[in-house]
Structures are given as structure tokens and as C-alpha cells.
Amino acid sequence: MKVLAFSDSKTILAQIISRFRDDAEVHALTHDTEFTAKFGAAKTIGMKGDILSGSVAKAIEKMQSDEGYDLIAIGSTVTGREVAGMLATMLSLHAVSEVNSVNLDGGKITTSRFFYGGKSLLTEESGAKIAVLAPGIAEAKESPGKTEVSEIQLEPSAVRIVSKTDKKGGSVDIEKAQIIVSVGRGLGKKENLEKVEPFAKAVHGEIAGSRPVCLDYGWLSEDRQVGLSGKKVQPKLYIALGISGQIQHIAGMRNSKLVIAVNKDKSAPIFEEADYGIVGDLFDVIAKLKEKVAQ
Amino acid sequence: MPYNVIVLIKQIPDIDQMKTNPGTGEPLLQNVPLRMENLSKNAVEAAVRIKEKNGGKVTVLCFGTDKSTSVMKEAYAMGADEGYLITGYPGNYPSVTAKALASKIKEIPHDLVILGNQSADSYTGLLPGSISAILGEPLLGNAVDIKLQEKQVSVVSALEDNNLEITAEMPAIVSVAQEINEPRLPPVLQIMAAGRKPINQSAASDLQVPEIKTLSNRAPKSDRKRIVFEDPAKGIEEVSKVIREAIR
Ligand SMILES: Cc1cc2nc3c(=O)[nH]c(=O)nc-3n(C[C@H](O)[C@H](O)[C@H](O)COP(=O)(O)OP(=O)(O)OC[C@H]3O[C@@H](n4cnc5c(N)ncnc54)[C@H](O)[C@@H]3O)c2cc1C
């Protein structure tokens, strides 16, 4: 069996290679051959040129006609989903997206993914030949296996890059955190983080947040966003402060062992997903909790 | 200069109101109201703002069912000028949806097609790429800002590690992120006027639905304790013990 793995995120690419390398001949398409080569793909193919979805899709279309892959496995990023959508059309192949687990069995593929915004987990069997895989499909493990490195030039796209602004952050990995203090829009303003930090410290927690806090307002860096479109966390303790508990948020913290929620609205849905809840002003509550915990 | 903008909108069950069967975990869809998908609203808003600034026309397209006239009216109330409802939506099959929408788009002169980057219910994110490939028009994805100048569209595309400013010549496809704008709540008068506006309706033909077997579709089990203290003083007393235990 032959699998083509592509992601513009080298972390997800390493996970995809690790997932398939024991069962299949994996060819990995990457912008960083030096890093990707460590993960034991049979072939590591470096892309030269701008990584834009149109260009990558054309390159993969050609590779598919040369190699006839059984599966094209693509990391779920903005670019990855675009590439998959384009390829589904260009190659007339069925694609499944945002897949959390995948099993190949002959010509069939069984996949699981969230549905209804994360409310349910949908497991399907299909003839998909393109699978978009969510981060964490397997643990990325280096492999001593030899890999053949080559390079291809991407064709220019009708889309041109004008400028690139790197996002801040990158130092934390909240997916591995054991204790998380997560803040929502109830925080009110960025300065109020100063009131949460001492509490987070007292419980030895990392600070994370809901999507508005990380994306709309930028109070926290994006790598701290928990949820369907953010990180999936599984700490032993998750403390949700001023988070309403919309399903897209729950999808990211559902695997926490113990959940505590503080919200001033007693009908907030987060209380349905909490082991312990306190109805009240989050700042009052954490100030007092901090004292009690320290005792 | 004025622009012709097509917006693709989707109707979904109101997932926040959707319950799951406590025994089996299966979604209970009966009596769940239908509403416009979240990012579809952002897409309509983005298009209407383009019209307000530059002039032109906003045409909405929905691949739905007979029940989808309500979202068409909502889009009208927000400022859309014309609407096409294609009925026969067979469920979440991005390739089918892409074909049904693209064949209609081909009939309508346009500078831009705007749609949500990933829909709030099915969340595949495949549609923008598929539509772009069918139409052979460039895709500028996950936009948090759109700027138009003559025949050139530029967007800030929010990627995982960076924001990319990209540009292409129109006609082009732009998919938007939730952060691009705050969709307006139309005033009552506009809602009433929208109710009287005609909707062009036609049925999709020749749908090739791929063979997919659903093995299960259930809510993950949640066995949270759900002990909620409405008296903060008591809550703090109890919860601090729980925290102390948990962080040991
Ligand atoms: C496709 C898609 C993907 C998405 N992905 C994600 C995702 O990955 N992660 C995510 O989080 N969201 C995601 N969302 C957004 C999600 O639907 C919600 O909009 C979001 O989670 C709400 O964030 P929030 O709880 O912080 O804000 P709100 O819903 O505004 O809730 C704020 C809460 O704070 C409480 N509050 C206010 N002041 C106080 C106070 N002083 N003390 C105590 N409580 C207070 C309020 O009662 C309220 O319940 C997604 C949405 C879509 C459509």
C-alpha cells in the first residue's frame, strides 16, 4: 500500500508519517526535508516555492497520476483543507475531513470525526482516498529508517503572497498540560489576566482560553485556544472561568478528567459539562479560592 | 467600482438547541429549529459591506430544501438583493454540494464568491477548495479582512502560525473566518420587507451521492458530576478541597 502524506505543519506531518509508516510505503511532501526526514517515510519530497493551496494541489495531482497512491493523507490546517477540497474535485476522489481516527481495511476506510459542531462523534465507512487528519492522529516518533530525499518545484499560483506576519506564542503546549485554567469572554479585558495569573500559579496551571479570547480579542496567543478549531486538551484538572460552554469549546476539553466551572450565569451550558460549578463573579471566586487552596 | 458578489449560505439545525438521547447518545433532530449557519452570516455581512462601500449587487445561493426559504429571507433582510434556492440537499456530501452550487454560480456573472471557511455543523472545510477547482477561480482562504481595488482582491488569511496577506485577480473565491466581522441584526422593517421579496427556486439534478456507511453517530459519553453551587461561599469551601486534592 502507498500513502502520500502532506501537511504545511511539520508537526502534523510527522504524526501522519508515524501513523502509516508501519503499514504502508509513505511518501512525505514537506517544506522542511531536514526535519521530516527523521520520521521514517520511504521518500521525503521537499517543495520549493510558496506553499499555496492551488500550487500544492497541482503538484499532488501529478504525483497521484505517477504513483497511484491508495490514500492521500493531509494534515488538517487551513491550507490542508483547501488542498483536499481541490484534489477531491481534480481527481474525482471522495474526501473525508477533520478525521480523529482512521483505519484502512482493503479498499475501505473507517474514519471518525466530530459532527454537529462537536456534539457527536460520527464513525463512517467509505471509499475515501483523501483523508484530512486532525492534529494528534498518532504520536510523532522518530525512526532510524532510511529515507530517499528529493525535491520538486511548485508551480506559481494565481494567488500571490504580499506579506507574512508571524503569530506570537509557541512556547507552551497546552495539549500536554496537567492543569489548565481556561478563561472566556467573561474575563472582560486583557488587563484582567493579571487577576487570573496568581490563581493559575497557585494551582500550578497553564492558562488557556476560548476562541474569542485567543482569536477575536487576542488576549491570549492562538496556541492557547481550546476547542473544535483549537487545541484538544486532556488535563487532570480543567478550570473554566467565564466560559459559556458552547459545544465548539466543549469539543476541545471533553477529555479532561475533572472539570470545574465558574460562571455568573447559573444557566450557562458549561455547568452541564462540569463536575463542580460555582455560580458567581469569577474574580471574587478565584481570589478566595486561591487563599483557600494555599492554606 | 461596483462589484457583483455571490454569497453561499447554508441552513443547519440549531446545534445549540439540539439534544442527544441520554441512553444511546444519538442526536435528536426532531423539532430542532433550523437557522442560518454561523459563518454564512459572516459571509453575507462581508458581501453587504462590500456593496455598501463600492456599490454593486449581492446574490445569495443556498443548496437546501423547501424549508430553506427562511434563511434566504434572513439574507435579504441583511441586505442581499437576489437569491437562488437550489433544493434537493441530500445531507453532508461536500462534493455534491460543490457541484450543485458551482453549476449555479456559472450562470451568474460575478467578481467574487464569498462563503464560510468551515461550517459550524459538519465542519469539513472542503467546500472552498472544491468550488475553486470546479470554477477554475483562485481561492483566498480563511479571510479576516478583505480589500478590493479595481480587479484585484486582497485578503488577510489567518493561518495557524502566521497571517498571510494574499492577493489575486477577480473573479475569485474568498472563504471567511468568524473573526472577519460581527453580522448585523436587521431591523424589523427590513425583515418584513424581506418576506415579500421573491426567491428563485429550482431543484438540483443529477446528484451523485457517494456511498458512505454510517457506523455510528453518538455524543461522547459525559458522566460529569454536575454539582453546582449557587452559593459561592459554600462552593468555594467545597471546590477548594477538590482542587487541593486534584493538584497534589
Ligand atoms: C466553526 C466554529 C468553530 C469554533 N471553534 C471554537 C473553538 O475551538 N473554541 C472555542 O472556545 N470556541 C469556538 N467557537 C466559538 C463558540 O461557538 C463560542 O462562540 C465561544 O466558545 C464562546 O466563548 P466564551 O465562552 O468565551 O464567550 P461567551 O459565550 O460570550 O461566554 C462568556 C461567559 O462568561 C460569563 N461571564 C461574564 N462575566 C463574568 C464574570 N465576571 N464572572 C463569571 N462569569 C462571567 C457569561 O455568563 C458567559 O457565560 C467556534 C465557532 C464556530 C462557528
Side-chain angles (χ1 to χ4, degrees):
Chain A
M1 201 174 60
K2 269 162 96 171
V3 172
L4 175 68
F6 159 74
S7 182
D8 57 320
S9 153
K10 57 184 181 184
T11 324
I12 306 179
L13 185 57
Q15 294 169 348
I16 299 177
I17 300 169
S18 305
R19 168 66 187 76
F20 291 112
R21 70 182 177 215
D22 294 338
D23 317 321
E25 178 183 332
V26 179
H27 296 182
L29 190 57
T30 179
H31 61 280
D32 186 345
T33 46
E34 196 186 325
F35 178 83
T36 304
K38 294 183 219 160
F39 294 89
K43 287 188 184 172
T44 304
I45 304 141
M47 293 174 288
K48 294 189 80 171
D50 288 333
I51 312 288
L52 288 160
S53 50
S55 309
V56 175
K58 273 198 202 124
I60 296 180
E61 182 186 31
K62 165 140 198 317
M63 293 170 77
Q64 175 66 10
S65 85
D66 294 346
E67 302 276 353
Y69 295 108
D70 300 286
L71 180 71
I72 301 173
I74 297 178
S76 190
T77 59
V78 172
T79 306
R81 292 185 293 269
E82 290 179 7
V83 170
M86 289 173 180
L87 285 172
T89 297
M90 292 155 71
L91 300 168
S92 295
L93 293 176
H94 179 52
V96 273
S97 191
E98 292 277 6
V99 166
N100 305 312
S101 80
V102 55
N103 275 300
L104 302 172
D105 181 16
K108 293 275 176 216
I109 175 168
T110 306
T111 51
S112 293
R113 64 185 173 113
F114 284 126
F115 208 75
Y116 295 123
K119 229 167 206 172
S120 67
L121 190 68
L122 174 62
T123 305
E124 300 168 312
E125 186 186 274
S126 71
K129 295 269 187 270
I130 302 172
V132 182
L133 306 176
I137 196 76
E139 200 183 323
K141 283 206 183 104
E142 293 190 11
S143 154
K146 265 217 299 284
T147 186
E148 188 189 315
V149 181
S150 61
E151 232 168 40
I152 58 165
Q153 177 71 44
L154 295 179
E155 277 180 45
S157 154
V159 175
R160 196 166 52 78
I161 299 177
V162 179
S163 67
K164 193 176 189 171
T165 320
D166 281 338
K167 288 181 183 168
K168 52 189 185 323
S171 57
V172 285
D173 185 357
I174 58 162
E175 276 165 342
K176 295 213 175 85
Q178 285 299 301
I179 296 161
I180 291 178
V181 176
S182 195
V183 293
R185 193 135 61 177
L187 187 67
K189 55 180 184 203
K190 186 172 185 175
E191 291 68 43
N192 283 339
L193 272 176
E194 282 169 28
K195 300 183 189 162
V196 177
E197 277 155 3
F199 172 68
K201 204 160 172 205
V203 301
H204 317 296
E206 285 287 355
I207 296 187
S210 68
R211 175 158 165 152
V213 165
C214 301
L215 289 184
D216 288 85
Y217 308 133
W219 295 339
L220 292 172
S221 59
E222 277 176 40
D223 52 353
R224 292 178 191 259
Q225 181 196 328
V226 172
L228 188 63
S229 54
K231 297 274 158 61
K232 315 285 182 292
V233 299
Q234 38 194 336
K236 58 181 190 187
L237 175 60
Y238 188 86
I239 306 179
L241 305 174
I243 292 178
S244 61
Q246 297 305 316
I247 185 61
Q248 293 90 358
H249 185 82
I250 305 299
M253 47 68 77
R254 189 181 263 145
N255 290 330
S256 306
K257 204 153 159 244
L258 182 71
V259 176
I260 294 172
V262 182
N263 196 301
K264 65 180 182 189
D265 173 9
K266 73 168 191 231
S267 61
I270 189 73
F271 290 130
E272 289 289 307
E273 277 299 325
D275 294 293
Y276 296 93
I278 301 177
V279 180
D281 177 71
L282 76 94
F283 303 105
D284 282 352
V285 171
I286 58 172
K288 291 179 186 138
L289 272 180
K290 184 180 136 255
E291 273 172 35
K292 289 255 174 207
V293 170
Q295 270 170 21
Chain B
M1 65 183 264
Y3 297 98
N4 282 322
V5 183
I6 296 177
V7 186
L8 308 181
I9 61 174
K10 181 177 186 183
Q11 185 182 48
I12 65 169
D14 192 339
I15 38 186
D16 296 323
Q17 293 193 44
M18 191 188 90
K19 297 261 179 302
T20 52
N21 181 317
T24 64
E26 275 160 17
L28 300 168
L29 284 170
Q30 261 151 10
N31 303 324
V32 178
L34 299 169
R35 64 165 170 87
M36 199 192 295
E37 188 276 324
N38 311 38
L39 270 67
S40 299
K41 288 188 194 171
N42 298 98
V44 174
E45 179 65 35
V48 172
R49 287 189 194 182
I50 288 173
K51 183 181 74 169
E52 286 168 347
K53 192 163 170 215
N54 307 282
K57 182 175 170 186
V58 175
T59 306
V60 283
L61 241 62
C62 175
F63 184 30
T65 66
D66 327 328
K67 294 199 185 100
S68 310
T69 47
S70 59
V71 291
M72 299 297 283
K73 287 179 184 162
E74 194 177 338
Y76 283 160
M78 288 176 75
D81 302 291
E82 194 169 14
Y84 292 87
L85 170 60
I86 309 160
T87 57
Y89 182 73
N92 176 238
Y93 304 98
S95 61
V96 177
T97 304
K99 274 186 200 138
L101 290 168
S103 63
K104 195 62 171 183
I105 297 172
K106 281 180 189 160
E107 297 170 6
I108 306 170
H110 61 273
D111 301 294
L112 275 181
V113 178
I114 304 183
L115 76 165
N117 179 58
Q118 257 181 314
S119 65
D121 61 336
S122 52
Y123 207 59
T124 70
L126 295 173
L127 203 60
S130 290
I131 300 240
S132 158
I134 298 175
L135 298 174
E137 295 176 15
L139 168 62
L140 301 95
N142 213 37
V144 291
D145 189 31
I146 307 177
K147 282 201 186 73
L148 306 179
Q149 200 176 26
E150 304 287 304
K151 287 305 261 178
Q152 200 73 18
V153 51
S154 305
V155 317
V156 176
S157 172
L159 304 187
E160 288 71 17
D161 298 328
N162 52 61
N163 279 340
L164 214 55
E165 193 189 338
I166 50 182
T167 184
E169 195 162 314
M170 291 184 261
I173 320 288
V174 172
S175 79
V176 298
Q178 202 177 28
E179 287 69 32
I180 191 164
N181 56 37
E182 194 66 50
R184 70 193 64 192
L185 296 166
V188 181
L189 221 60
Q190 258 167 276
I191 296 175
M192 278 161 53
R196 294 188 293 270
K197 224 176 163 134
I199 296 166
N200 305 297
Q201 195 166 326
S202 61
S205 55
D206 234 4
L207 301 179
Q208 285 160 338
V209 176
E211 224 174 284
I212 299 172
K213 202 158 103 196
T214 298
L215 302 179
S216 68
N217 187 15
R218 286 191 213 111
K221 268 222 158 41
S222 159
D223 31 17
R224 296 287 171 210
K225 294 195 184 74
R226 297 192 192 92
I227 303 172
V228 179
F229 298 94
E230 290 191 40
D231 170 9
K234 182 140 185 274
I236 288 159
E237 191 64 44
E238 294 301 315
V239 170
S240 59
K241 286 183 208 154
V242 174
I243 294 179
R244 258 199 306 224
E245 185 65 25
I247 65 176
R248 265 219 304 230

